[in-house]
Amino acid sequence: MSDDNRLAHLLTYTTFHIGVYISLVTALIGAGIFNPVLGSSWLVRYTVGCVVLAGICGGIVGKSIPEHRSYDQYKNTAIGYFSLKPFPPLVWANLEHLFFWIGVLPLALAFIFGGSDWIG
């Protein structure tokens, strides 16, 4: 794979994030199946959509790591899917975190401060 441990650490970090995203989306969809109020909530659906987008961005970061021998080479290369490679890894990582937080924070704040009135 690589001669640079930073790439291995980045892959581990990215794999962890994708696992969190899969778990969260699965839990939200499962809760929505068993609770029709949650399943029809625009806020829950918005959160699932944002977390899926975060997972896509994380997937782009992770899938591109094995193609590079050093972190310095990796961070300066545009990456993406297929032949579309519009951004360097740092932009994809920032988008990943942005989608996650703009998806999770409204639902968490609604749960903390508004209860079921905001979520349902």
Side-chain angles (χ1 to χ4, degrees):
M1 175 173 138
S2 99
D3 298 329
D4 194 335
N5 284 339
R6 294 178 293 177
L7 285 177
H9 292 299
L10 179 60
L11 185 56
T12 301
Y13 176 77
T14 302
T15 303
F16 168 75
H17 275 193
I18 292 170
V20 168
Y21 304 150
I22 290 169
S23 300
L24 179 58
V25 166
T26 301
L28 288 171
I29 290 172
I33 289 170
F34 290 108
N35 183 335
V37 172
L38 283 178
S40 63
S41 167
W42 69 270
L43 190 53
V44 172
R45 291 173 183 263
Y46 166 80
T47 299
V48 168
C50 287
V51 174
V52 167
L53 290 172
I56 290 169
C57 292
I60 291 171
V61 170
K63 78 142 196 91
S64 303
I65 291 172
E67 300 168 4
H68 298 86
R69 304 274 306 154
S70 74
Y71 179 78
D72 292 328
Q73 176 199 23
Y74 176 71
K75 74 177 184 178
N76 295 315
T77 304
I79 60 173
Y81 278 123
F82 309 113
S83 61
L84 300 173
K85 298 180 183 208
F87 307 121
L90 183 58
V91 172
W92 287 111
N94 286 332
L95 286 171
E96 174 188 350
H97 290 105
L98 176 71
F99 283 129
F100 176 76
W101 287 112
I102 66 170
V104 170
L105 277 178
L107 183 62
L109 292 173
F111 178 78
I112 292 167
F113 296 111
S116 62
D117 295 339
W118 283 76
I119 297 172

